[in-house]
Amino acid sequence: MKKNVAVLITCHNRLKKTKKCLESIYLQKNIEKINIKIFLVDDGSNDGTSEYVKENFPKIKLIQGDGNLYWGGGMYLAWEEALKYEQNFDYFLWVNDDVIFFEDGISTLLNTVINKDNIVVGSFCDPVSKKTTYGGVVSKKKILNAFGLKLVEVNGFPQEVDGINGNGVLIPYLAFNQIGKFDKQFYHAGGDLDYALRARKKNIKIYLTHKHVGYCERIQSYKNVKSFKDIFEKKSLPPKIWFHFCRKHGGNLWILHFFFRFIKLCFKIIINIIIKK
């Protein structure tokens, strides 16, 4: 029996990258027993993305955003549309539109499903250096930094991880049925880690693929703030969002975790200002 996979993507004014991503999905090999349906949210692009998709990928379910959804909001909307679709899906696959899958990328994700409800996160590498850029992460907890994370390198075997980068994540329906959709308050950064932590609380395991499943260049992290204005940047983890995250996952010391991050960021910004002078 064929497996039905809903691919959830959000894009905004990155037509060249979105095009390559979609092409890589349709060029997948060894997925004869898989039905793929793409749900693409175009969050207010003005670079011709929607027109291009309509003309060249007519089978894609295209959903229009107003430019204020960001990644989390767009993925939430794509998920809602997938759940309304006439067929039931066995898997939901999150995909960033800057990902280029290898020809066996999606089949690798599917073959890493060990138990029917385990989540699989794909490992991605830089197209030039071939160094790992995104994938699974493990916790390196400290007293005041409960959410410290370390990127995991592939080693030829599936590895259990604590958290995920949302670039390419396969979620079985059985897992979704227990966890649910995105928390809408994470409209950009933080939503993928929140989802992983919610999965762990349900005793749902997360595995990293045994090898890289595609290319994805590393972009600037929300941790790399250079000014006080950056702390409140919507694509970062502004205080309101970080407060919500700490309340959910910080335990009894959540307020300390909340303040520790901003003290550390402010210190880095001050040092950066001093160095520039």
Side-chain angles (χ1 to χ4, degrees):
M1 185 179 294
K2 286 193 172 185
K3 297 292 184 181
N4 297 314
V5 179
V7 178
L8 313 178
I9 310 176
T10 296
C11 67
H12 175 72
N13 281 342
R14 304 201 292 189
L15 177 55
K16 289 183 179 180
K17 290 186 176 182
T18 303
K19 174 185 174 183
K20 289 180 179 180
C21 175
L22 296 175
E23 289 174 345
S24 75
I25 293 173
Y26 282 113
L27 290 173
Q28 290 296 293
K29 293 184 177 180
N30 302 320
I31 56 170
E32 293 79 11
K33 296 181 179 180
I34 305 297
N35 287 322
I36 290 178
K37 178 67 178 179
I38 299 177
F39 295 83
L40 174 66
V41 173
D42 179 5
D43 190 25
S45 296
N46 56 18
D47 63 350
T49 295
S50 288
E51 292 77 10
Y52 181 86
V53 170
K54 288 177 183 178
E55 182 176 349
N56 295 277
F57 301 100
K59 292 184 179 181
I60 288 177
K61 173 62 177 178
L62 184 63
I63 307 114
Q64 296 294 334
D66 60 3
N68 295 303
L69 291 173
Y70 294 90
W71 183 79
M75 296 298 277
Y76 185 94
L77 182 57
W79 216 330
E80 283 196 324
E81 288 296 323
L83 291 170
K84 295 176 186 176
Y85 201 61
E86 61 263 22
Q87 71 183 41
N88 295 322
F89 291 101
D90 302 293
Y91 299 94
F92 300 100
L93 175 59
W94 305 352
V95 176
N96 266 18
D97 73 324
D98 57 350
V99 158
I100 300 176
F101 280 106
F102 299 150
E103 290 182 338
D104 63 346
I106 293 179
S107 61
T108 298
L109 284 162
L110 289 163
N111 291 334
T112 308
V113 176
I114 298 172
N115 299 311
K116 291 183 179 180
D117 68 345
N118 70 256
I119 293 172
V120 178
V121 56
S123 183
F124 294 89
C125 64
D126 184 87
V128 178
S129 70
K130 304 301 187 292
K131 291 183 178 180
T132 301
T133 51
Y134 295 99
V137 295
V138 291
S139 175
K140 51 177 185 178
K141 289 184 179 179
K142 297 180 180 179
I143 294 177
L144 290 177
N145 187 16
F147 307 114
L149 300 169
K150 180 182 178 182
L151 188 64
V152 179
E153 295 291 341
V154 294
N155 66 359
F157 299 94
Q159 301 174 74
E160 187 174 353
V161 295
D162 300 318
I164 56 179
N165 297 143
N167 303 64
V169 182
L170 185 71
I171 301 172
Y173 184 86
L174 290 177
F176 159 76
N177 201 35
Q178 297 179 63
I179 308 167
K181 300 190 290 292
F182 282 105
D183 181 337
K184 289 181 73 174
Q185 293 199 48
F186 296 104
Y187 46 78
H188 198 74
D192 45 6
L193 180 57
D194 169 73
Y195 201 86
L197 293 175
R198 287 162 58 195
R200 297 298 296 249
K201 289 176 181 178
K202 297 286 186 179
N203 294 317
I204 294 172
K205 294 185 177 182
I206 305 169
Y207 290 95
L208 177 70
T209 51
H210 71 283
K211 64 178 183 178
H212 295 133
V213 298
Y215 292 130
C216 190
E217 293 182 46
R218 187 80 191 182
I219 59 173
Q220 180 176 326
S221 169
Y222 61 79
K223 297 178 182 178
N224 295 330
V225 295
K226 296 181 179 179
S227 68
F228 291 107
K229 182 180 178 181
D230 291 341
I231 292 177
F232 298 91
E233 167 62 39
K234 279 195 170 184
K235 288 188 177 182
S236 176
L237 277 171
K240 182 180 178 180
I241 304 303
W242 182 239
F243 182 89
H244 177 62
F245 186 89
C246 291
R247 282 288 302 271
K248 285 185 74 173
H249 304 295
N252 294 331
L253 298 177
W254 71 268
I255 193 68
L256 293 179
H257 303 315
F258 172 76
F259 282 112
F260 177 74
R261 175 176 181 266
F262 291 109
I263 291 171
K264 188 169 66 172
L265 289 176
C266 288
F267 181 76
K268 287 174 66 176
I269 292 168
I270 292 170
I271 293 299
N272 186 53
I273 293 173
I274 293 172
I275 292 173
K276 283 186 176 181
K277 288 183 177 180

